[in-house]
Amino acid sequence: MTEKKRIYKPTPISGFPEWLPEERLVEQKWFDHIRRVFESYGFCSIETPSVEALDAITAKGEVDKEIYVIDRLHKEEGDKEARLALHFDQTVPMARYVAQHFSDLVFPFKRYQMQRVWRGERPQMGRMREFYQCDIDVIHVDNLPISFDAEVAAVMYEVLEGLNIGRVQLRISNRKLISSILDVYIGGSIIDFAQRKTAALNTIDKIEKIGESEVSRKLVDECGFQADMVSRLLEIIRIKFRNADQLNRLFDITSQKLAVNSTFMEGFSELKTVMEGLSHLPEDAVVADLSIVRGLDYYTGTVYETQLLDVPEFTGSVCSGGRYDDLAGSFINKHLPGVGISIGFSRLFDVMRQSRPDLLGIGPKSPAHIMMVLPSEDKRALAHDTARTLRNRGYNVEVYHAPQKIGKQMEYASKKLIPYVWFPPFEDGKPHEVKNMTTGEQSTADPDNWSI
Amino acid sequence: MTEKKRIYKPTPISGFPEWLPEERLVEQKWFDHIRRVFESYGFCSIETPSVEALDAITAKGEVDKEIYVIDRLHKEEGDKEARLALHFDQTVPMARYVAQHFSDLVFPFKRYQMQRVWRGERPQMGRMREFYQCDIDVIHVDNLPISFDAEVAAVMYEVLEGLNIGRVQLRISNRKLISSILDVYIGGSIIDFAQRKTAALNTIDKIEKIGESEVSRKLVDECGFQADMVSRLLEIIRIKFRNADQLNRLFDITSQKLAVNSTFMEGFSELKTVMEGLSHLPEDAVVADLSIVRGLDYYTGTVYETQLLDVPEFTGSVCSGGRYDDLAGSFINKHLPGVGISIGFSRLFDVMRQSRPDLLGIGPKSPAHIMMVLPSEDKRALAHDTARTLRNRGYNVEVYHAPQKIGKQMEYASKKLIPYVWFPPFEDGKPHEVKNMTTGEQSTADPDNWSI
């Protein structure tokens, strides 16, 4: 039939996932839900270009993420253009956006952003090189009330709780707590202070992965802390405080075991306010957990991680973030503190898709609620009219394209898992009928009044 | 206050547009509307990665669009990776997708796709280098019923009609018509046949831009047609047929003035069927117009363009497409005919944004329906509880962040154009009140029953 021709057989590109229509339908539902929750708290959407000037991306210094740069395939010699790079997160673009449009924005600026980001991972690492992130942040000028630290956490809990991914637990801390304790006990010369502190924070950050005893060993051997102090510190880190009342014990326990300073007091008071602001959430939804430090230097107060309690296939934190003191200092001479959380959307979706397709409800290959049977060529106008009536009433209706045998038409609806099949009258004067494809029930129906 | 530091002052990157929150809110409404119409006809969404293998993009031959390739910034010597390029349209990715997932798809495959595409235009051209396209296509194996040529046009008319961009006119033709006439009359040696035919089609394609007399001159001087035949052809091209009935005249007029062959008959019959399938649309919504040929060789039957009748600032066609005989022949050994239309979303939005902000309804800077006043610190829990009640009832509610003077809180709502301000009781036992910011009216309200 078709003549022989050169064929390029396409294969998936490692790290750039794509979904089948039935998976995409669920992905869209997730996006819709996330957006609805974000907007219900008054967060506005922004979208930035996929690229930033490379100079903007590296304005804060070298980036440890692998960056993709773009270039015209047929660039001519001597074409002078600024180098452009695909953004590797949504924070740098937001900072640049806020600086660039500063005078057009109203503060506190509450924005959400759900875009793809790119990381130039080696393909063999099995990591995604293109994926969606869903971020919310609140930015203010000079001072940002601590109440927002509770609000962004409440928003993300509501988001995750509605995705049908089992029980979710937000783990919250305040970097001032651990940081201030380390400051008091750090040993060795003043020269290594910052370096050893960073090493200690990074070590504690890995506690879930490497275990308590390894953390303890490293804090003593590599960061120069006294074994006795480390064991008291780990006692405190071990406790999960389930609400603001329980959290009062943190201060008592810590001040019994270790010396605390005014920074600790500040962090404690902030964390307590945040926990109080989340007291409307269910038991176990939120815990204060001092082992949460987040690797990045960037964060200066509240820090968040989130665990899926029922999906062991998902390792690490599904949704993380924190408070930062200076968003856009490299772009504008303003002091802009902020707080934000980000969901690593695509990895979460991919893990759930592979390990829990049942929970996701992957099935229908079409958004159609109804497939309209085409009885015969001369009933085509009637079929389309009926479809239009139902569409105007909010239903998605696909009209079958050819007056084929009814069995064949029904088979198409079955294959796409379209839930209802509509039969316009095959003869004048007869009523419309509709078949529920799940129950098999078939009954007469009026297109102007029928409802699912 | 802030110390001096090196600042990178960000500037817009030519060709990569971004919008302010109030503009983005309207852009989102547009996307929502378009998606709703697409889905109401049973089109399913797919999304492909931003990149394709460069070999896939060029599988059909050299591409005349400027392509962006991507590269890791710190690629190491000897890293062997397939070259990847950002897609310049959504047709090549769809063809690759259909070929790659052929056995997982149900045909006829009706898909929509609303993604960014990239063109490596020189910045000085003022063209967009990153923009959204919104495409629908129907693909079938071996034979695709002509009824889909009417359906995709009906869908796009409904999409555009709902965007509030004034009157829209679909202009439809069938390439078999003009093509068959040219075949009969083409002069000169057989060697130049294809070349002269392409030149003639491209000339006719430019009739709106260069005018009839220039088209006439070129057809005679450059393509070798007889002046007399050209003047008869232009007489026919000049006529706009407003419906299937009028279209019957096309055959009469043409067969009086020019020789017609069986390909003409075929094209005529297809065009008539398409016009009949669109007879439910308003007068003037659709015209058959033989001057529409679309530049691309790609199309083999029905072709579409769309004019905005009330927005002279928008030049050219806002939404174009056609039928093609072979979608994915370079990727799979199957015969896959299709028909599709595409909206150049971002240019349309940008033109309307700049020239008709009134029509677009650009205003609110937030999706919030209600701003909740925070009367005092000890009413914070009450304010948040009330907000939650209203959110559960479907409203977007932003709680003001600090118990500042009421005037200051109201000013924030005004600046963001949030339509309602809610006052929780300042004293126990008093009722809630809500103020309509448009009318200035203020009245008592019950969060469990209030509605806009």
Side-chain angles (χ1 to χ4, degrees):
Chain A
M1 171 217 76
T2 5
E3 55 206 297
K4 283 261 176 210
K5 46 197 167 180
R6 243 195 65 220
I7 286 188
Y8 172 92
K9 195 173 173 296
T11 48
I13 305 173
S14 160
F16 289 85
E18 74 182 357
W19 317 129
L20 290 172
E22 57 270 34
E23 297 167 329
R24 168 69 182 154
L25 210 55
V26 178
E27 191 190 39
Q28 285 183 298
K29 270 188 207 157
W30 278 33
F31 279 126
D32 290 345
H33 164 72
I34 296 172
R35 176 181 160 193
R36 192 171 57 246
V37 176
F38 288 170
E39 293 186 351
S40 79
Y41 284 81
F43 286 80
C44 71
S45 168
I46 70 166
E47 249 190 27
T48 63
S50 303
V51 301
E52 297 288 334
L54 187 59
D55 290 345
I57 283 192
T58 55
K60 263 198 164 175
E62 261 310 293
V63 176
D64 63 347
K65 308 275 187 314
E66 280 270 24
I67 297 171
Y68 278 119
V69 289
I70 70 170
D71 246 319
R72 286 195 286 121
L73 181 60
H74 299 297
K75 199 173 168 178
E76 279 149 46
E77 290 281 337
D79 280 359
K80 274 270 176 205
E81 287 177 35
R83 290 195 84 182
L84 303 176
L86 295 170
H87 52 229
F88 64 90
D89 74 359
Q90 299 182 130
T91 305
V92 175
M94 172 183 65
R96 195 266 312 145
Y97 182 99
V98 168
Q100 191 174 318
H101 303 290
F102 184 80
S103 58
D104 288 315
L105 304 178
V106 180
F107 292 89
F109 180 56
K110 299 171 75 173
R111 85 86 175 81
Y112 72 90
Q113 206 166 340
M114 318 207 302
Q115 294 188 239
R116 284 172 161 175
V117 302
W118 292 268
R119 305 268 168 96
E121 306 281 354
R122 315 271 169 87
Q124 59 272 28
M125 300 297 281
R127 294 211 192 102
M128 286 188 181
R129 300 197 274 177
E130 171 174 71
F131 55 93
Y132 276 100
Q133 285 189 337
C134 300
D135 293 9
I136 48 172
D137 287 83
V138 185
I139 315 296
H140 206 359
V141 185
D142 293 331
N143 284 297
L144 178 73
I146 187 78
S147 59
F148 285 118
D149 297 48
E151 183 173 80
V152 296
V155 172
M156 281 305 194
Y157 181 80
E158 196 173 324
V159 160
L160 293 171
E161 197 266 333
L163 289 180
N164 208 14
I165 51 178
R167 284 171 308 144
V168 165
Q169 188 172 65
L170 268 167
R171 300 187 180 165
I172 306 187
S173 185
N174 190 301
R175 267 175 76 120
K176 289 174 188 166
L177 297 169
I178 287 291
S179 175
S180 68
I181 295 174
L182 295 178
D183 285 352
V184 172
Y185 288 91
I186 229 154
S189 81
I190 197 81
I191 304 167
D192 308 330
F193 188 92
Q195 207 181 337
R196 255 179 294 134
K197 186 173 169 184
T198 303
L201 286 169
N202 285 337
T203 301
I204 296 167
D205 193 32
K206 295 204 188 77
I207 196 162
E208 290 258 336
K209 219 185 270 176
I210 64 178
E212 249 188 49
S213 61
E214 181 63 7
V215 167
S216 173
R217 190 194 64 74
K218 276 173 171 268
L219 288 178
V220 174
D221 294 356
E222 296 173 14
C223 308
F225 289 93
Q226 301 288 328
D228 174 53
M229 174 269 177
V230 168
S231 93
R232 279 176 287 149
L233 180 66
L234 286 174
E235 266 182 71
I236 296 162
I237 286 181
R238 209 174 288 141
I239 309 169
K240 315 273 179 259
F241 304 90
R242 290 176 189 277
N243 52 51
D245 282 348
Q246 282 189 13
L247 193 66
N248 285 323
R249 283 171 47 222
L250 170 66
F251 182 73
D252 300 338
I253 303 170
T254 312
S255 55
Q256 275 163 29
K257 296 192 185 277
L258 295 162
V260 297
N261 61 14
S262 65
T263 307
F264 184 91
M265 301 289 286
E266 209 175 281
F268 174 71
S269 147
E270 288 177 6
L271 182 56
K272 212 179 139 199
T273 306
V274 173
M275 291 295 282
E276 275 162 0
L278 296 170
S279 58
H280 64 287
L281 295 181
E283 177 88 22
D284 275 344
V286 192
V287 295
D289 177 343
L290 266 59
S291 74
I292 306 301
V293 292
R294 302 299 300 151
L296 298 167
D297 273 346
Y298 185 65
Y299 295 118
T300 51
T302 310
V303 280
Y304 315 92
E305 289 193 359
T306 318
Q307 302 293 318
L308 299 189
L309 301 182
D310 300 326
V311 186
E313 294 87 348
F314 193 97
T315 53
S317 170
V318 59
C319 170
S320 317
R323 172 179 276 253
Y324 37 89
D325 192 46
D326 177 27
L327 173 72
S330 46
F331 297 125
I332 191 171
N333 194 17
K334 299 268 180 197
H335 179 223
L336 299 174
V339 63
I341 312 195
S342 173
I343 303 181
F345 181 95
S346 299
R347 189 165 87 85
L348 173 62
F349 183 75
D350 194 31
V351 169
M352 293 302 297
R353 184 184 71 89
Q354 293 193 49
S355 64
R356 302 295 176 92
D358 53 315
L359 278 184
L360 250 56
I362 289 174
K365 291 169 190 289
S366 159
H369 305 111
I370 301 167
M371 192 203 77
M372 180 70 54
V373 164
L374 184 62
S376 58
E377 199 51 64
D378 64 309
K379 298 284 180 202
R380 191 181 280 276
L382 173 66
H384 280 279
D385 281 351
T386 310
R388 267 192 294 280
T389 303
L390 289 160
R391 279 186 203 117
N392 286 337
R393 298 188 50 235
Y395 297 110
N396 299 336
V397 189
E398 174 165 358
V399 179
Y400 196 76
H401 53 280
Q404 292 164 343
K405 284 191 182 141
I406 303 309
K408 179 139 195 198
Q409 298 194 38
M410 303 276 291
E411 192 189 316
Y412 177 81
S414 287
K415 270 191 196 160
K416 287 202 168 176
L417 290 178
I418 298 174
Y420 292 90
V421 170
W422 192 283
F423 300 88
F426 283 43
E427 291 162 47
D428 296 343
K430 294 278 168 73
H432 293 261
E433 293 193 16
V434 64
K435 186 185 181 83
N436 178 327
M437 298 292 281
T438 318
T439 64
E441 244 175 300
Q442 187 165 332
S443 51
T444 62
D446 172 2
D448 287 309
N449 286 306
W450 180 83
S451 60
I452 283 184
Chain B
M1 169 219 75
T2 4
E3 56 209 293
K4 282 258 177 217
K5 47 196 166 183
R6 243 194 65 219
I7 286 188
Y8 171 93
K9 194 173 174 293
T11 49
I13 304 173
S14 160
F16 290 84
E18 74 182 357
W19 316 130
L20 290 172
E22 56 270 34
E23 297 166 329
R24 168 70 182 154
L25 210 57
V26 178
E27 191 190 38
Q28 285 183 297
K29 271 188 206 159
W30 278 33
F31 279 127
D32 290 344
H33 164 73
I34 296 172
R35 175 181 161 194
R36 192 171 56 246
V37 175
F38 288 170
E39 294 186 350
S40 79
Y41 283 80
F43 286 79
C44 71
S45 168
I46 70 166
E47 248 190 27
T48 62
S50 303
V51 302
E52 299 287 335
L54 187 58
D55 290 344
I57 283 192
T58 54
K60 266 199 162 174
E62 261 308 295
V63 176
D64 64 345
K65 308 276 188 314
E66 280 270 25
I67 297 171
Y68 277 120
V69 290
I70 69 169
D71 246 319
R72 287 196 283 122
L73 182 59
H74 298 297
K75 198 172 170 180
E76 278 150 45
E77 288 283 336
D79 281 0
K80 274 271 175 201
E81 286 178 35
R83 289 195 83 183
L84 302 177
L86 295 170
H87 53 229
F88 63 89
D89 74 0
Q90 298 181 131
T91 305
V92 175
M94 171 183 64
R96 195 265 314 144
Y97 182 98
V98 168
Q100 190 175 320
H101 304 290
F102 185 80
S103 58
D104 288 316
L105 304 178
V106 180
F107 292 90
F109 181 56
K110 299 171 76 173
R111 86 88 176 78
Y112 73 89
Q113 207 167 338
M114 317 207 301
Q115 295 187 239
R116 283 172 163 175
V117 302
W118 292 267
R119 305 267 168 96
E121 307 280 354
R122 315 271 169 87
Q124 60 271 27
M125 302 295 283
R127 295 211 191 101
M128 287 189 181
R129 299 197 275 177
E130 171 174 69
F131 55 95
Y132 277 100
Q133 284 189 334
C134 301
D135 293 9
I136 49 171
D137 287 82
V138 186
I139 315 296
H140 206 358
V141 185
D142 293 332
N143 284 298
L144 178 73
I146 186 78
S147 58
F148 285 119
D149 297 49
E151 185 174 79
V152 296
V155 172
M156 280 305 193
Y157 181 79
E158 195 172 323
V159 160
L160 293 171
E161 198 266 333
L163 289 180
N164 208 14
I165 52 179
R167 284 172 307 144
V168 165
Q169 187 172 64
L170 268 167
R171 299 186 180 167
I172 306 190
S173 187
N174 190 302
R175 267 175 76 120
K176 289 173 188 167
L177 297 169
I178 287 291
S179 176
S180 68
I181 295 174
L182 295 178
D183 285 351
V184 173
Y185 288 91
I186 229 156
S189 80
I190 198 79
I191 305 170
D192 307 330
F193 189 91
Q195 207 181 339
R196 254 178 295 133
K197 187 171 168 184
T198 304
L201 287 169
N202 284 338
T203 301
I204 296 168
D205 193 33
K206 295 203 190 78
I207 198 163
E208 289 258 337
K209 219 184 273 177
I210 65 178
E212 250 187 50
S213 59
E214 181 64 7
V215 167
S216 173
R217 190 194 63 74
K218 275 171 172 273
L219 288 178
V220 174
D221 294 355
E222 294 172 15
C223 309
F225 290 92
Q226 301 289 327
D228 175 51
M229 174 271 178
V230 168
S231 95
R232 279 176 287 149
L233 180 66
L234 286 174
E235 267 182 70
I236 296 161
I237 286 182
R238 209 175 287 141
I239 310 170
K240 314 274 179 257
F241 304 91
R242 285 173 194 280
N243 53 50
D245 282 346
Q246 282 188 14
L247 193 65
N248 284 324
R249 283 172 48 222
L250 170 63
F251 182 73
D252 301 338
I253 302 169
T254 312
S255 55
Q256 276 163 27
K257 296 188 184 281
L258 295 161
V260 297
N261 62 12
S262 65
T263 307
F264 184 91
M265 301 287 287
E266 210 176 282
F268 175 71
S269 150
E270 289 176 7
L271 181 56
K272 212 179 138 196
T273 307
V274 173
M275 291 295 283
E276 274 161 2
L278 296 170
S279 58
H280 64 286
L281 296 181
E283 176 87 22
D284 275 346
V286 192
V287 294
D289 177 342
L290 266 61
S291 74
I292 306 302
V293 292
R294 301 302 300 150
L296 297 168
D297 274 345
Y298 185 62
Y299 295 118
T300 52
T302 309
V303 280
Y304 317 91
E305 289 194 358
T306 318
Q307 303 294 317
L308 299 189
L309 302 181
D310 299 325
V311 186
E313 294 87 348
F314 193 95
T315 53
S317 170
V318 58
C319 170
S320 318
R323 173 179 274 251
Y324 38 89
D325 193 46
D326 178 27
L327 173 73
S330 46
F331 297 126
I332 192 171
N333 193 16
K334 299 267 179 199
H335 179 222
L336 300 174
V339 62
I341 313 195
S342 173
I343 303 180
F345 181 95
S346 300
R347 190 166 84 85
L348 174 60
F349 182 75
D350 193 30
V351 169
M352 293 302 297
R353 184 185 70 91
Q354 292 192 47
S355 64
R356 300 294 175 93
D358 53 314
L359 278 184
L360 251 57
I362 291 174
K365 291 169 189 288
S366 158
H369 306 112
I370 301 166
M371 192 202 79
M372 180 70 55
V373 164
L374 185 62
S376 58
E377 200 51 64
D378 63 308
K379 298 285 179 200
R380 190 181 282 275
L382 172 66
H384 280 279
D385 281 350
T386 310
R388 268 194 292 281
T389 303
L390 288 161
R391 281 188 202 116
N392 287 337
R393 300 189 49 235
Y395 297 109
N396 299 336
V397 189
E398 175 165 358
V399 179
Y400 196 77
H401 53 279
Q404 293 164 340
K405 283 192 183 140
I406 302 308
K408 178 138 195 198
Q409 299 195 38
M410 303 277 290
E411 191 188 315
Y412 177 80
S414 288
K415 270 192 197 161
K416 288 203 167 176
L417 288 178
I418 298 174
Y420 293 90
V421 170
W422 193 283
F423 301 87
F426 283 44
E427 291 162 49
D428 296 344
K430 292 280 168 73
H432 293 261
E433 293 194 16
V434 63
K435 187 184 180 83
N436 179 327
M437 296 294 278
T438 318
T439 64
E441 243 175 301
Q442 186 165 333
S443 51
T444 63
D446 172 2
D448 288 307
N449 287 305
W450 180 83
S451 61
I452 282 182

